[in-house]
Amino acid sequence: MGSTRESLAWNPGRETVHADEKTGEPEVFLEPLLWGLFSLGGFITAFLFPITVFLLFVAPVFGWWPTDPAAYATFAAHWQEPLVRLFFFALIGGSLFHGTHRLKFMLVDAGLRGPGIEAALDIILNAIAIVGTLGALYYAVRGWLFV
Amino acid sequence: MRELGGVVSALYGLIFLNLLRTLRAGESAYTAFVDTMRTPPVLYVNLVLFALLVWHAVTWFMLIGKAQPIQFTERPLPWKSVFGVNVLLWIGVSAAVVYLVFGGI
């Protein structure tokens, strides 16, 4: 009982509970980062996606919007603005990290379990999210920071 | 359904990535892609996916007050109040997107 790290909380087994992690265990870094990107992507997706899809692919077709925001001249003109480029970069990156993380756990729940399979899912789906986000970054800065 | 809406968002992420690729490729490639997205078979799929996206957004806002209760006072705010505030924010953000990103009505 000499250690200052022992818990004084209710402990029915009267076993010492250490607040510090066991020695020798690898530090978990990637998992919380991916969950953080998933959560951030969830907010981006929820707030920004419906209006964007509505304006580009739904409303103009049915005449629900007076202009066509997806028309080439209109969209190309707006694309010159840094805010629009940042918007689409956040939209694409956030949605990819959110959706691929969600897909992984849907597939695991559907029965694709096991360390090997889950590792393969992690690699494939995170690769899609990372490459897609880098692709969005490339298009966002091309023509602005370089030709 | 909510989970499926999350996956749909990733699908749209790839669609927007391709939109940017065709924008870079030129007017004919861009217009052909947008026209394809609006052709009846794809348009119907688009409508279903759009409904899933909206459902994902609504349920995400419903979850915020439940999964992570917001507490300013002794008791956390009711999830319905948090949901209402988020929907108002959603409307405000959508209006900002219309004006700042798409140049207004």
Side-chain angles (χ1 to χ4, degrees), chain A residues 73-96:
Chain A
T74 310
F75 193 83
H78 288 145
W79 185 246
Q80 302 305 316
E81 299 168 23
L83 179 67
V84 176
R85 291 166 181 251
L86 179 67
F87 174 82
F88 275 93
F89 166 68
L91 203 66
I92 293 169
S95 66
L96 286 177

Side-chain angles (χ1 to χ4, degrees), chain A residues 34 45 71 88 108-109 124 137:
Chain A
L34 291 173
T45 302
F88 275 93
V108 168
D109 289 343
I124 294 168
L137 180 66

Side-chain angles (χ1 to χ4, degrees), chain A residues 91-117:
Chain A
L91 203 66
I92 293 169
S95 66
L96 286 177
F97 276 104
H98 180 77
T100 52
H101 202 65
R102 179 70 84 191
L103 180 61
K104 181 208 161 182
F105 285 101
M106 281 179 72
L107 293 173
V108 168
D109 289 343
L112 285 177
R113 291 196 179 93
I117 295 174

Side-chain angles (χ1 to χ4, degrees), chain B residues 33-104:
Chain B
F33 177 65
V34 171
D35 287 346
T36 303
M37 291 297 293
R38 293 172 175 182
T39 312
V42 184
L43 176 66
Y44 300 143
V45 175
N46 244 333
L47 287 174
V48 174
L49 297 184
F50 176 66
L52 282 170
L53 269 186
V54 173
W55 181 245
H56 173 264
V58 170
T59 53
W60 183 265
F61 296 138
M62 287 169 76
L63 263 181
I64 291 173
K66 295 178 182 176
Q68 191 170 357
I70 295 170
Q71 193 161 355
F72 293 121
T73 54
E74 191 176 341
R75 299 178 69 179
L77 292 174
W79 74 267
K80 287 180 181 174
S81 304
V82 179
F83 172 69
V85 170
N86 272 289
V87 169
L88 288 176
L89 270 175
W90 185 24
I91 293 169
V93 168
S94 297
V97 168
V98 167
Y99 279 94
L100 295 176
V101 177
F102 293 104

